[in-house]
Amino acid sequence: MLKILIIVGARPNFMKAAPICAEMRRRPDEFDVKIVHTGQHYDTAMSAGFFKDLGLPEPDHNLGVGSGTHTEQTARIMLAFEPVVISEKPDWVVVVGDVNSTVASALVASKLGVKVAHVEAGLRSFDRTMPEEINRILTDSISDMLLTTEESGNENLRHEGISPEKIKFVGNVMIDSLVQNLERAKQSDVLGGLGLGSQEFAVLTLHRPSNVDTREKLEPLVQAFNDISERLPIIFPVHPRTRAKLDEFSIDTSRLRLVEPLGYLDFLALYSQARFVMTDSGGLQEETTYLGIPCLTIRENTERPMTIEVGTNQLVKDPIGLKRAASNLLDSAAGHTPKSIPPLWDGKAAGRICDELANAS
Ligand code: UD1
């Protein structure tokens, strides 16, 4: 029996951890899993709602660290997580993604001599101004098992000198959540609630510090969204960081449909029906790839090149490029075009992750 602590902290962690927890609970002879929530995200809309939507059990430990600078947040997670590891004595600490909770808990476990498995290892934007890139590099460098989602991850890790036997290509566990919840999401009334009916619309999410933290970046982007909204409504569930910056800079968003951050099922119901998506999220690039929904990623780079190679994703680097790409999409025939789905994005990654952990121990 393997004792596992799985760490969640921020919104993009929940849909990766849920299928792994569920699979471990289906295999009680092999796994005893406990959930640790760092509390990096704490609003109902950013956290508790996801537990409910995804059927994640209540956390066994809630560290309640909340917001702060990166140093404060990382340090608080480390201080609060250390006694949990000491008392629980897990065989493995499983961390997912690239947020501050990921690196902080991996570091604690590693220093205590507990094995670390990193789910979604090896992704690289090669842009060290991104906090997530630092988190990815550090976490991978101290992990004992590196579970990858796409071939670029395997290559990046080999290139960084990680020994090949630690690298396990298991596919994309976030797609497990997507596959499991597509039917359930059809019961959501989010489109009706927004009065969208059969009308075409686009979905927008934006929260990266590089896009939202300065007026110089944010204002021209919002102007571009305003211009695009002349051709179709843009639904914009606003992240708390972005909401604060829009208010601080008094930016006029009256032509966009701003809504509160949505739960997992409502958001899936919304973007799965969108004509196209505009985003700077990591996960949404993958989810739209799986569903064949055109995605304009408002970033200089992506750590998920598979979404561009085989998927429906394209990078747009500035407001002019964004408007051009949106026009091109709107001028082309409507419809979603599922291209080939990347290897092992098949809804069965959690099973492979559990198999790897069981085999390695
Ligand atoms: C974090 C992750 C990012 C991920 C994103 C998803 C890091 C470095 N970044 O960024 O990779 O894409 O989550 O959302 O870990 N806030 C609230 N309520 C909450 C959470 C945050 O109001 O429940 C506000 C706080 O004012 C906080 C700000 O949002 O200062 C930013 O939160 P934080 O957790 O620092 O980073 P995110 O921008 O959410």
Side-chain angles (χ1 to χ4, degrees), residues 10-12 40-44 46-47 66-68 70 73 98-101 131-132 135 207-209 239-241 244 281-282:
R11 184 170 60 178
Q40 175 174 347
H41 285 176
Y42 44 86
D43 287 351
T44 306
M46 300 295 286
S47 174
S67 300
H70 285 254
Q73 201 171 53
D98 55 17
V99 301
N100 287 341
S101 301
E132 295 82 0
N135 294 344
H207 72 280
R208 298 248 156 249
H239 187 285
R241 169 193 282 280
S281 149

Side-chain angles (χ1 to χ4, degrees), residues 64-294:
V65 300
S67 300
T69 67
H70 285 254
T71 301
E72 284 167 345
Q73 201 171 53
T74 308
R76 276 197 229 125
I77 295 168
M78 290 184 71
L79 285 170
F81 185 48
E82 184 176 53
V84 175
V85 180
I86 290 171
S87 69
E88 291 283 3
K89 300 186 182 56
D91 297 298
W92 286 92
V93 166
V94 176
V95 299
V96 302
D98 55 17
V99 301
N100 287 341
S101 301
T102 311
V103 67
S105 46
L107 192 48
V108 168
S110 167
K111 294 252 180 181
L112 289 170
V114 173
K115 285 180 285 188
V116 177
H118 182 205
V119 175
E120 201 185 87
L123 297 181
R124 295 290 181 270
S125 65
F126 302 100
D127 173 3
R128 291 200 183 196
T129 64
M130 262 183 104
E132 295 82 0
E133 182 76 351
I134 305 295
N135 294 344
R136 289 189 279 258
I137 293 168
L138 293 179
T139 304
D140 285 341
S141 71
I142 54 173
S143 290
D144 301 276
M145 183 182 288
L146 297 106
L147 298 144
T148 57
T149 55
E150 60 167 84
E151 179 50 33
S152 76
N154 303 332
E155 262 170 51
N156 294 333
L157 292 171
R158 286 194 294 262
H159 201 247
E160 288 173 20
I162 304 279
S163 63
E165 63 270 20
K166 287 188 186 172
I167 305 169
K168 310 289 181 192
F169 179 37
V170 291
N172 193 332
V173 76
M174 202 183 57
I175 301 299
D176 292 21
S177 280
L178 181 55
V179 170
Q180 282 160 25
N181 287 296
L182 262 177
E183 271 310 304
R184 285 178 70 215
K186 289 189 181 144
Q187 281 150 33
S188 159
D189 187 33
V190 68
L191 296 187
L194 288 164
L196 286 166
S198 57
Q199 192 184 6
E200 284 197 327
F201 61 92
V203 168
L204 165 65
T205 79
L206 198 74
H207 72 280
R208 298 248 156 249
S210 57
N211 279 331
V212 308
D213 276 6
T214 62
R215 177 196 290 278
E216 293 68 42
K217 285 299 286 241
L218 186 56
E219 202 162 37
L221 277 175
V222 173
Q223 186 54 52
F225 301 137
N226 284 339
D227 292 348
I228 295 165
S229 76
E230 283 175 13
R231 294 192 61 184
L232 85 176
I234 297 177
I235 315 300
F236 183 13
V238 190
H239 187 285
R241 169 193 282 280
T242 311
R243 171 81 68 179
K245 292 296 174 185
L246 289 169
D247 291 348
E248 183 186 332
F249 304 142
S250 305
I251 293 177
D252 177 17
T253 54
S254 56
R255 284 153 73 183
L256 312 176
R257 296 280 306 272
L258 270 61
V259 295
E260 290 303 307
L262 294 171
Y264 184 80
L265 293 171
D266 284 344
F267 189 55
L268 173 53
L270 182 71
Y271 73 77
S272 62
Q273 296 304 314
R275 175 73 193 272
F276 63 92
V277 167
M278 297 175 282
T279 191
D280 58 7
S281 149
L284 203 42
Q285 296 173 55
E286 299 183 332
E287 290 161 330
T288 50
T289 287
Y290 183 82
L291 295 172
I293 299 165

